[in-house]
Amino acid sequence: MSPSSEPSSTLLQIIPLPLFQPDLYERAWASVPHPTLPLLATAHSKGATVFSLSTLSSHSTLTGGHARSVRSVAWKPGQPPQKLCLVTGSFDSTAGLWRWEADAALEAGAADDLEVDMSTRVSRSTADGELDSEPDGGTDKSWEFTLVLEGHDSEIKSCTFSPSGTYLATCSRDKSVWIWEDIGASEDDDEWETVAVLNEHEGDVKAVAWCPDVPGRNRRRHYSPDVLASASYDNTVRIWREDGDGEWVCVAVLEGHDETVWGLQWEPRPRDENQFPRLLTFSADKTIRIWSLKEEAEADDDGPRVAFSGIPNTMRKSLREEWNCTAVLPKAHDRDVYSATWSADSGLIASTGSDGRIAMYKEGNSPAAHVHAPATKLNDPSALSTSWEVIATMPNAHGAFEVNHITWCRRYDAGSERRGEEEMLVTTGDDGLVRPWQVKQEQR
């Protein structure tokens, strides 16, 4: 680890923890923690492996649902005793919905029991197409592949649930974003319908992300509270909302990146004065940008509203919202930035990518961090990067291999000082390894 040469009040260490076991022995694309339980799902090959965050070892494996590589996974939000629900997005152009059929370990307060039920495997019988569980160690616990969502014409690159779990968004190489709604009468009734197909991107859509349910998200009452962002090979990010007519419309196009936008994440913790969450984007142009909504005065919320009925979807984007690039993080990567993650606890940002490096950034106390940048500065990174600093880097995080994904998640392992509260980083790479990292901060 090489700390930034710039002066900082924070000394940060990135310390490797024991690897998740077993090794996946093949390229892994992303690891996503469950929002409330000590579980982590990793997309690789034609399925996914679920790890226990308590034991740092395999909990269960999902295979047999897809004919091609699984590139993304998403947990449906929900508290025990609801059944676990995981969605896998595949290059076979489908999304698969899986449910964990073992209810006993999901009762409220019994989350620790999940680590005991290890290595259940699920496979599709080639004879009759039905799913058969193949339990290890005699257990009868299993994942059930309950539904296939079809509609995309090409590979699904990302999938994500809205905060309520009502909506699922998927995006694809076919340049579209699909929004699906859960209309089932119960969690045992898997019935979904397509509520929108968004076709305004001019290139493959690489990633989608729903705005989290934090204070500030619901201040704009012109539209529904659900807000979706999408990133594309067309170098843009688009913001989508549902209007008063129930139509999903593009309310803003964020332009500034010079190459493919690989992904994005919403600010996960509340801002001062309940301002709307900011948006983090990262790109093949080696930059990481932060975007802020230029919010209207509170009095305007009750004023005249524009009616959009009858206006073509492609024309609506100029009528909506103004988003400005308010920061470009200091350069820390010399190749594509594949992934970045924003801590809900500390506010630190971590990034990684093709150069195999982990970089950590801290926002300064300068008021500039909360001021909207003039439009003339959108493409002037030197004028926008002063409110953030690089506080640490870790080269060769996965040796000579590219790192495809990085995420913050809670620690539940025996070495954690504050179990279930303390954060760690998890990286996922081309070497098939899922690596946890302890992040220690000390004030100078």
Side-chain angles (χ1 to χ4, degrees), residues 241-412:
R241 292 182 186 253
E242 188 179 18
D243 67 11
D245 298 326
E247 296 291 330
W248 286 87
V249 296
C250 179
V251 298
V253 180
L254 282 50
E255 298 176 299
H257 285 293
D258 296 328
E259 296 185 53
T260 297
V261 185
W262 287 116
L264 66 180
Q265 185 195 346
W266 291 93
E267 185 173 14
R269 64 178 186 170
R271 298 181 64 191
D272 294 340
E273 301 178 358
N274 285 343
Q275 296 180 75
F276 198 85
R278 293 173 290 178
L279 185 64
L280 178 76
T281 62
F282 37 93
S283 168
D285 66 12
K286 310 178 187 63
T287 70
I288 302 171
R289 291 174 176 256
I290 294 177
W291 308 79
S292 301
L293 171 65
K294 184 176 181 180
E295 300 190 58
E296 302 173 8
E298 189 68 28
D300 292 343
D301 285 341
D302 297 318
R305 302 181 183 181
V306 180
F308 299 109
S309 299
I311 301 177
N313 201 27
T314 54
M315 296 175 59
R316 294 174 176 175
K317 57 183 181 291
S318 63
L319 304 173
R320 300 305 198 194
E321 300 176 346
E322 182 178 345
W323 285 76
N324 291 321
C325 179
T326 50
V328 176
L329 272 59
K331 184 178 178 181
H333 296 280
D334 51 26
R335 297 176 69 179
D336 295 30
V337 182
Y338 287 154
S339 182
T341 182
W342 205 335
S343 169
D345 288 352
S346 65
L348 296 176
I349 290 174
S351 63
T352 191
S354 181
D355 59 10
R357 179 182 297 120
I358 298 174
M360 302 286 297
Y361 313 81
K362 180 178 183 292
E363 187 171 19
N365 296 321
S366 167
H370 304 288
V371 175
H372 297 290
T376 55
K377 293 185 177 181
L378 281 176
N379 294 305
D380 183 4
S382 63
L384 297 172
S385 61
T386 55
S387 61
W388 288 81
E389 61 178 338
V390 179
I391 57 175
T393 61
M394 170 67 77
N396 304 315
H398 284 241
F401 294 89
E402 294 188 345
V403 184
N404 295 315
H405 190 260
I406 189 167
T407 186
W408 292 98
C409 69
R410 303 292 179 185
R411 285 190 69 179
Y412 292 88

Side-chain angles (χ1 to χ4, degrees), residues 10 28 35 54 115 195 325 343 405 438-439:
T10 301
S54 297
E115 66 194 62
V195 296
C325 179
S343 169
H405 190 260
Q438 182 183 15
V439 178

Side-chain angles (χ1 to χ4, degrees), residues 54-292:
S54 297
T55 64
L56 303 184
S57 60
S58 174
H59 167 274
S60 49
T61 304
L62 292 71
T63 59
H66 294 286
R68 295 185 62 191
S69 174
V70 170
R71 294 299 183 94
S72 61
V73 292
W75 293 100
K76 187 175 184 183
Q79 294 278 0
Q82 293 184 21
K83 292 180 180 179
L84 282 176
C85 179
L86 186 72
V87 165
T88 49
S90 170
F91 269 30
D92 65 9
S93 77
T94 70
L97 190 144
W98 307 74
R99 289 195 181 274
W100 177 254
E101 293 302 304
D103 295 331
L106 295 181
E107 295 177 0
D112 291 348
D113 295 340
L114 286 166
E115 66 194 62
V116 178
D117 306 315
M118 298 299 168
S119 302
T120 298
R121 294 190 174 271
V122 178
S123 66
R124 183 185 297 276
S125 167
T126 56
D128 54 17
E130 295 180 355
L131 288 173
D132 298 320
S133 60
E134 298 176 355
D136 292 341
T139 177
D140 60 354
K141 316 291 188 184
S142 66
W143 286 97
E144 182 182 358
F145 190 65
T146 62
L147 187 67
V148 177
L149 299 177
E150 299 178 297
H152 283 290
D153 294 329
S154 190
E155 298 106 328
I156 290 180
K157 296 179 177 289
S158 176
C159 56
T160 180
F161 279 99
S162 64
S164 67
T166 301
Y167 294 116
L168 173 73
T170 58
C171 64
S172 169
R173 186 180 178 182
D174 64 14
K175 305 179 184 179
S176 72
V177 176
W178 286 51
I179 299 178
W180 314 77
E181 183 178 9
D182 183 357
I183 59 172
S186 68
E187 64 177 302
D188 294 317
D189 180 17
D190 284 322
E191 186 175 358
W192 293 72
E193 70 174 6
T194 307
V195 296
V197 178
L198 313 174
N199 290 306
E200 295 185 21
H201 277 294
E202 297 176 358
D204 303 9
V205 187
K206 175 61 181 176
V208 282
W210 292 95
C211 184
D213 190 8
V214 296
R217 188 186 73 159
N218 299 328
R219 287 190 64 187
R220 291 180 68 85
R221 296 191 289 271
H222 296 298
Y223 319 103
S224 75
D226 289 308
V227 186
L228 181 68
S230 56
S232 173
Y233 283 60
D234 65 12
N235 306 348
T236 72
V237 172
R238 291 178 181 263
I239 309 294
W240 310 86
R241 292 182 186 253
E242 188 179 18
D243 67 11
D245 298 326
E247 296 291 330
W248 286 87
V249 296
C250 179
V251 298
V253 180
L254 282 50
E255 298 176 299
H257 285 293
D258 296 328
E259 296 185 53
T260 297
V261 185
W262 287 116
L264 66 180
Q265 185 195 346
W266 291 93
E267 185 173 14
R269 64 178 186 170
R271 298 181 64 191
D272 294 340
E273 301 178 358
N274 285 343
Q275 296 180 75
F276 198 85
R278 293 173 290 178
L279 185 64
L280 178 76
T281 62
F282 37 93
S283 168
D285 66 12
K286 310 178 187 63
T287 70
I288 302 171
R289 291 174 176 256
I290 294 177
W291 308 79
S292 301

